Amino acid sequence: MRFITVPSTQFAFEQRLSLAPRAQRELLVFLDLRLKIAEQAKSKSTGFAGRLFNVLPGENPDYLRLSGRELKDVLQVIGADVGDLTEIDVCYDLRVDVAREALKVLEQAEAASD
């Protein structure tokens, strides 16, 4: 019976970790990685095998799937009023161009702080 609780504990930890707010540097790295994954998905989406390869892990070349907390962090970076727009434990799709804009803002802030 003890081993049954391990996956649920791991899931709870992962869920709490995704709900924690990120620092600007962490958000910059996170967005950079997610945008690179989206670029790879876009390059693979030209053929049938590539589209199938994108469908299996749920990658979309035009959108990033983010938790409500992640979306809130990204939208705050670009100055959007997020008030009660997002539920923290729900997944949302964010357009890649909006994520790129947020990444540019984060890179400019990083360069200004150095």
Side-chain angles (χ1 to χ4, degrees):
M1 190 69 175
R2 187 171 141 210
F3 295 109
I4 293 173
T5 61
V6 171
S8 64
T9 304
Q10 182 179 6
F11 175 74
F13 175 73
E14 180 182 347
Q15 188 178 24
R16 275 190 243 123
L17 186 63
S18 71
L19 297 179
R22 288 186 163 83
Q24 278 195 347
R25 178 70 181 147
E26 292 171 349
L27 191 59
L28 185 139
V29 171
F30 171 77
L31 276 179
D32 187 43
L33 177 64
R34 294 298 301 269
L35 286 169
K36 286 179 182 175
I37 291 171
E39 288 171 11
Q40 288 179 350
K42 189 167 195 84
S43 68
K44 291 177 187 172
S45 66
T46 57
F48 174 74
R51 285 191 301 271
L52 180 64
F53 189 78
N54 286 340
V55 167
L56 293 175
E59 292 301 330
N60 187 329
D62 301 319
Y63 293 92
L64 302 180
R65 174 125 325 157
L66 304 174
S67 72
R69 175 80 247 169
E70 294 162 345
L71 179 65
K72 198 170 193 174
D73 290 344
V74 170
L75 292 178
Q76 285 176 341
V77 164
I78 60 174
D81 180 26
V82 292
D84 292 335
L85 288 177
T86 60
E87 293 182 35
I88 292 178
D89 57 345
V90 176
C91 286
Y92 295 91
D93 289 333
L94 177 68
R95 287 191 341 235
V96 169
D97 62 327
V98 175
R100 279 197 186 104
E101 181 182 337
L103 183 63
K104 284 180 187 177
V105 170
L106 286 168
E107 288 172 342
Q108 290 171 352
E110 180 84 10
S113 68
D114 287 344

